[in-house]
């Protein structure tokens, strides 16, 4: 898969069969669209293309709104997209000037003159251009003028998928990891760097790696204890993850993310790791003392081991 970051330098894509969207999560609905443009590309002798944007348009258009949390970082999204057979991803920097393009300018200058689309595959409710004035009807009107084809993803097809990025985000925030992973078609992931913690885990026999998430827009699951896989330098470990405020040992409201690795004592400090979420064990709790906390973690470990071998 080739990634293009400068649309003015694009050339040589054979009969681009294109779809457009932010594709946050690259969930099973997105995967079905990618499958369709791959099928069309093979049939028509073309190449499949996704036109996507960074940052997310809402971040640019509403900079004071911190409520949007994204399922994937840019790197995660590109890695996921590479799994599904796409030939090209055009990752356009989304800027206010770009958002002010009229729908006709967008089609003529970007889709036709820069990319040279042969076919665009788009949802029935897709909107584009200044004030989201462009729609499927306009694309169908412009298609014979600029000599490209339009294929609609019908409401029925979209409804049959019954998943959206909004629905995935809600399941993550609810801590419903089983549903999240079903919607995504893969395990939800968090990536970050291991930083120094307060060493309390080590004092009770359960040392943890504290993970710092660099991207402030990355969505974090609901506070609680999770079963995870931990990926580090092409190695995969089992672990128990806590997301929350650590109420037993801290009065700080800051959310921390810390993982205890099962069956290994590898030092991860300063390393970049990725967490793959398998299931949620329980809510975060406040215990009377560290001994009670230790006993609960032992129960969590037993539950995690039972799940991992089942």
């Amino acid at each position: 898969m080739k990634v293009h970051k400068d649309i003015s330098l694009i050339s040589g894509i054979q009969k681009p069969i294109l779809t457009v969207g932010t594709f946050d999560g690259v969930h099973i609905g997105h995967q079905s669209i990618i499958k369709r443009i791959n099928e069309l590309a093979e049939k028509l002798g073309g190449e499949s293309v996704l036109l996507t944007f960074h940052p997310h348009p809402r971040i640019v258009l509403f900079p004071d709104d911190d409520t949007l949390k994204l399922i994937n970082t840019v790197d995660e999204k590109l890695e996921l997209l590479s799994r599904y057979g796409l030939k090209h991803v055009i990752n356009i920097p989304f800027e206010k000037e770009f958002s002010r393009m009229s729908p006709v300018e967008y089609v003529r200058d970007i889709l036709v003159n820069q990319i040279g689309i042969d076919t665009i595959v788009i949802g029935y409710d897709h909107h584009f251009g200044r004030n989201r004035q462009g729609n499927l009807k306009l694309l169908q009107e412009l298609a014979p003028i600029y000599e490209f084809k339009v294929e609609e993803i019908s409401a029925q097809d979209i409804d049959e998928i019954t998943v959206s990025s909004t629905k995935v985000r809600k399941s993550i925030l609810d801590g419903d990891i089983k549903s999240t992973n079903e919607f995504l078609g893969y395990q939800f992931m968090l990536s970050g760097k291991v930083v120094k913690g307060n060493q309390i885990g080590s004092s009770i026999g359960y040392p943890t790696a504290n993970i710092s998430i660099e991207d402030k827009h990355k969505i974090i699951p609901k506070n609680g204890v999770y079963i995870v896989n931990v990926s580090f330098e092409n190695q995969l470990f089992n672990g128990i993850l806590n997301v929350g405020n650590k109420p037993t040992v801290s009065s700080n409201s800051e959310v921390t993310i810390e993982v205890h690795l099962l069956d290994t004592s590898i030092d991860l400090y300063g390393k970049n790791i990725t967490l793959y979420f398998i299931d949620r064990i329980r809510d975060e709790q406040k215990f009377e003392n560290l001994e009670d906390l230790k006993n609960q973690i032992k129960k969590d470990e037993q539950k995690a081991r039972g799940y991992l071998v089942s």
Side-chain angles (χ1 to χ4, degrees), residues 24-299:
D24 183 36
V26 197
H27 55 63
I28 58 174
H30 296 139
Q31 292 164 33
S32 71
I33 296 171
I34 294 170
K35 181 181 178 182
R36 178 56 184 156
I37 64 172
N38 283 337
E39 289 171 348
L40 277 175
E42 184 173 357
K43 178 182 177 182
L44 301 172
E47 296 180 272
S48 56
V49 182
L50 169 64
L51 175 61
T52 190
F53 312 99
H54 179 74
H56 192 287
R58 267 182 58 185
I59 294 171
V60 175
L61 299 176
F62 306 101
D64 297 327
D65 181 4
D66 290 329
T67 60
L68 177 66
K69 298 300 180 183
L70 300 177
I71 302 162
N72 301 137
T73 65
V74 175
D75 289 342
E76 288 170 355
K77 183 166 79 169
L78 291 175
E79 192 278 324
L80 287 164
L81 289 170
S82 71
R83 298 180 186 180
Y84 301 113
L86 271 172
K87 293 297 184 183
H88 299 270
V89 172
I90 302 171
N91 199 23
I92 292 183
F94 191 90
E95 301 167 336
K96 284 191 174 180
E97 182 180 354
F98 178 79
S99 73
R100 297 188 183 107
M101 292 184 75
S102 73
V104 173
E105 288 173 329
Y106 167 77
V107 172
R108 182 192 64 210
D109 297 345
I110 302 295
L111 301 186
V112 176
N113 292 341
Q114 294 282 1
I115 302 174
I117 62 169
D118 176 271
T119 304
I120 182 168
V121 178
I122 216 76
Y124 74 100
D125 59 348
H126 182 72
H127 290 80
F128 57 91
R130 186 170 55 237
N131 298 325
R132 292 170 52 83
Q133 294 170 334
N135 55 23
L136 177 68
K137 183 174 181 293
L138 178 63
L139 282 171
Q140 292 168 333
E141 291 171 355
L142 295 175
I145 298 171
Y146 294 110
E147 299 181 332
F148 63 87
K149 296 179 285 294
V150 180
E151 179 172 308
E152 174 190 1
I153 304 166
S154 70
Q156 180 180 350
D157 289 340
I158 290 174
D159 289 343
E160 283 179 359
I161 296 166
T162 65
V163 63
S164 66
S165 296
T166 299
K167 193 171 183 178
V168 177
R169 291 184 195 113
K170 183 179 185 305
S171 68
I172 295 170
L173 294 174
D174 288 344
D176 185 357
I177 294 302
K178 283 190 173 179
S179 294
T180 296
N181 291 346
E182 288 176 6
F183 294 152
L184 293 175
Y186 60 88
Q187 291 175 337
F188 172 71
M189 68 188 82
L190 279 177
S191 300
K193 179 177 283 190
V194 177
V195 297
K196 282 289 187 186
N198 54 21
Q199 308 298 310
I200 290 175
S202 295
S203 72
I204 59 173
Y206 285 95
T208 60
N210 291 260
I211 298 99
S212 173
I213 308 298
E214 183 177 341
D215 189 340
K216 68 177 184 178
H217 296 292
K218 174 71 177 185
I219 195 168
I220 306 298
K222 180 181 179 180
N223 286 5
V225 179
Y226 296 84
I227 304 168
V228 295
N229 288 141
V230 182
S231 176
F232 165 66
E233 293 184 350
N234 297 317
Q235 301 177 81
L236 200 64
F237 305 97
N238 297 322
I240 306 169
L241 179 78
N242 187 81
V243 178
N245 315 112
K246 300 187 291 188
T248 303
V249 298
S250 174
S251 59
N252 195 328
S253 62
E254 181 183 0
V255 172
T256 61
I257 302 168
E258 50 186 342
V259 64
H260 169 69
L261 302 183
L262 303 179
D263 305 319
T264 184
S265 57
I266 187 170
D267 181 11
L268 296 175
Y269 178 65
K271 308 297 185 181
N272 290 308
I273 66 174
T274 299
L275 308 168
Y276 295 95
F277 284 68
I278 298 171
D279 202 1
R280 189 173 190 269
I281 298 176
R282 61 174 175 86
D283 289 337
E284 187 179 43
Q285 298 170 242
K286 182 175 182 178
F287 297 94
E288 291 296 322
N289 50 60
L290 288 179
E291 188 64 25
D292 288 348
L293 173 61
K294 178 180 178 179
N295 290 334
Q296 181 59 57
I297 296 174
K298 189 176 296 183
K299 293 176 183 177

